[in-house]
């Protein structure tokens, strides 16, 4: 958001320190800007909670670049401009008979920003949003326009790149046939049941999200997003499921927030872009006034990690609005938090109180340290670079790639420089 000459992130906890803010109207204008700049960073929708998008030089929004939405039915791909938000084009995909394999909780986020930070949805068989990238085009540190394609050397290190290789202008994404989803919410899933039947719970639907305030002995809400079969059509949700009770009306994951901002529930079938996100594009996502963090552990460690968090919940729950637990399929992207391991992500939506959240993060990171927990790159964390280096098999390869692509450090802001050598 912009207030007079002040530019902040979506949450307002980061005020960008850039000397200049740009919104180029053409790729050529962007190329000139980068070629003449010494410190440049791309800004998507600003839905990051740390300084990953910040710079001391030129901050560039891609929102005004020419809109691209090119569906190729033969190759089952769509090419989109980097600044497009998911909610701005996924409906058109559905009408054309196509869909993305998965979507994040928010349709408000930009395609390039989500892919660059390893953002994800949920589902045992669903990789992060970046796994759909077949190719992408970006402006390099010299101002040249470069295209990278799946299968090329270093492609797996270039998709989740944290904006450190260049400014993405467009992406080509894999598509699947359009499908419908019906969404049910169940309340009061006992912790004991979750521990004993974790795999069954997470496999109960195409996408599963567990919401908890970490205060009681049960999961407050389980959101089951079930794919509607081509043959049988929508099916009713049972009144009880694993001891949890079907909600008697729409729910918002954050207590007290208006349910109108959430996507349709109660088993009402609809297009996947209208059900896979938790929130509607035309409403404020989540609670609006919040901070966020998230940590990924290997799938086989999920229950033990849950127990470790449960043991220290009194030290972080008072500062929490809601927590969410989701599953993410493994991928081969070097800096993806799900790289080379099927993962379970523990997400935390905090009250907007940085002074209280910081020690809570350290409590969580200490509890999850035995499980090699990887933090989400675009959210709040305090994990040190030396620890992060040991969590990613290709960390050093990415540093070498970054040094080769941007030897003068045009895209290397303070956060990147802190975490990566190059």
């Amino acid at each position: 958001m912009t207030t007079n000459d002040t530019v902040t992130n979506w949450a307002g906890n980061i005020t960008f320190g850039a000397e200049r803010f740009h919104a180029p109207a053409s790729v050529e204008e962007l190329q000139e800007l980068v070629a003449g700049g010494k410190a440049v960073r791309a800004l998507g929708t600003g839905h990051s909670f740390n300084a990953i998008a910040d710079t001391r030089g030129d901050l560039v929004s891609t929102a005004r670049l020419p809109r691209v939405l090119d569906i190729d039915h033969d190759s089952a791909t769509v090419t989109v401009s980097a600044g497009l938000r998911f909610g701005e084009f996924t409906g058109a995909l559905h009408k054309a008979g196509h869909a993305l394999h998965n979507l994040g909780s928010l349709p408000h986020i930009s395609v390039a920003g989500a892919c660059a930070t390893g953002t994800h949805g949920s589902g045992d068989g669903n990789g992060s949003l970046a796994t759909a990238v077949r190719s992408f085009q970006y402006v390099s540190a010299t101002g040249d326009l470069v295209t990278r394609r799946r299968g090329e050397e270093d492609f797996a290190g270039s998709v989740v790149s944290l904006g450190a290789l260049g400014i993405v202008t467009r992406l080509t994404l894999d598509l699947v046939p359009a499908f419908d989803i019906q969404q049910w919410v169940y309340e009061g899933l006992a912790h004991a049941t979750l521990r004993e039947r974790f795999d069954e719970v997470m496999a109960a639907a195409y996408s599963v999200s567990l919401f908890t305030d970490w205060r009681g002995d049960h999961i407050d809400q389980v959101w089951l997003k079930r794919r509607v079969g081509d043959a049988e059509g929508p099916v009713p949700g049972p009144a009880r499921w694993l001891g949890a009770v079907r909600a008697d009306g729409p729910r918002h994951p954050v207590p007290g927030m208006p349910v109108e901002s959430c996507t349709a529930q109660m088993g009402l079938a609809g297009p996947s872009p209208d059900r896979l996100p938790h929130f509607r594009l035309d409403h404020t996502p989540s609670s609006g006034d919040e901070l966020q963090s998230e940590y990924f552990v290997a799938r086989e460690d999920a229950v033990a990690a849950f127990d470790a968090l449960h043991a220290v919940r009194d030290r972080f729950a008072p500062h929490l609005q809601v927590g969410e637990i989701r599953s993410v399929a493994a991928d081969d992207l070097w800096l993806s938090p799900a790289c080379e391991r099927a993962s379970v992500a523990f997400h935390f939506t905090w009250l907007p109180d940085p002074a209280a959240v910081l020690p809570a993060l350290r409590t969580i990171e200490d509890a999850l340290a035995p499980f090699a927990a990887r933090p989400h790159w675009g959210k709040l964390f305090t994990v040190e670079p030396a620890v992060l280096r040991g969590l990613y098999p290709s960390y050093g390869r990415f540093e070498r790639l970054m040094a080769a692509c941007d030897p003068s450090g045009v895209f290397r802001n303070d956060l990147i420089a802190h975490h990566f050598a190059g």
Side-chain angles (χ1 to χ4, degrees), residues 269-323:
S272 60
D274 297 336
R275 299 293 183 276
L276 287 175
H278 298 330
F279 304 102
R280 294 170 49 185
L281 182 64
D282 56 348
H283 284 67
T284 299
S286 194
S287 73
D289 198 7
E290 65 193 56
L291 300 172
Q292 293 183 9
S293 57
E294 187 172 33
Y295 301 90
F296 295 64
V297 303
R299 176 60 181 264
E300 58 268 24
D301 291 330
V303 174
F306 178 88
D307 287 341
L309 290 171
H310 187 271
V312 296
R313 60 181 178 167
D314 289 347
R315 295 166 58 188
F316 67 79
H319 314 296
L320 191 66
Q321 296 192 48
V322 72

Side-chain angles (χ1 to χ4, degrees), residues 29-246:
E29 185 182 346
L30 174 60
Q31 288 179 270
E32 292 178 8
L33 193 158
V34 173
K38 294 183 178 180
V40 184
R41 290 292 289 178
L43 176 66
T45 51
H47 201 269
S48 291
F49 295 82
N50 58 31
I52 194 169
D54 202 7
T55 178
R56 300 175 187 271
D58 296 287
L59 191 61
V60 180
S61 168
T62 58
R64 290 186 62 231
L65 292 181
R67 178 186 173 96
V68 176
L69 177 55
D70 183 10
I71 301 173
D72 188 325
H73 299 281
D74 293 334
S75 65
T77 61
V78 62
T79 300
V80 297
S81 41
L84 271 185
R85 299 180 298 169
F86 282 95
E88 293 175 325
F89 72 94
T90 49
L93 292 182
H94 188 87
K95 291 178 181 177
H98 301 283
L100 296 177
H101 75 286
N102 204 9
L103 294 168
S105 299
L106 310 181
H108 311 71
I109 55 178
S110 68
V111 181
C115 292
T117 55
T119 297
H120 60 98
S122 188
D124 284 356
N126 299 323
S128 72
L129 307 183
T131 60
V133 177
R134 186 177 296 193
S135 66
F136 66 98
Q137 181 186 81
Y138 68 97
V139 176
S140 73
T142 57
D144 294 317
L145 205 55
V146 179
T147 299
R148 290 187 181 267
R149 298 176 177 84
R150 186 184 294 149
E152 295 178 348
E153 185 178 6
D154 295 334
F155 177 83
S158 304
V159 182
V160 181
S161 67
L162 316 184
L165 305 184
I167 297 183
V168 176
T169 58
R170 62 175 60 186
L171 306 93
T172 298
L173 310 173
D174 290 331
L175 298 176
V176 299
F179 60 98
D180 285 354
I181 290 283
Q182 56 179 159
Q183 182 168 224
W184 297 99
V185 175
Y186 285 85
E187 297 178 307
L189 177 69
H191 284 173
T193 302
L194 177 65
R195 292 184 179 98
E196 294 168 4
R197 305 173 74 169
F198 186 84
D199 288 342
E200 181 181 352
V201 170
M202 301 309 292
Y206 186 80
S207 172
V208 177
S209 289
L210 313 179
F211 290 101
T212 173
D213 62 9
W214 290 96
R215 290 175 172 85
D217 59 359
H218 59 269
I219 299 297
D220 300 291
Q221 299 176 17
V222 180
W223 289 37
L224 301 179
K225 300 172 188 279
R226 289 176 173 150
R227 184 165 174 155
V228 177
D230 296 331
E232 67 272 17
V235 296
R240 297 185 70 87
W241 169 76
L242 298 182
V245 178
R246 188 182 65 209

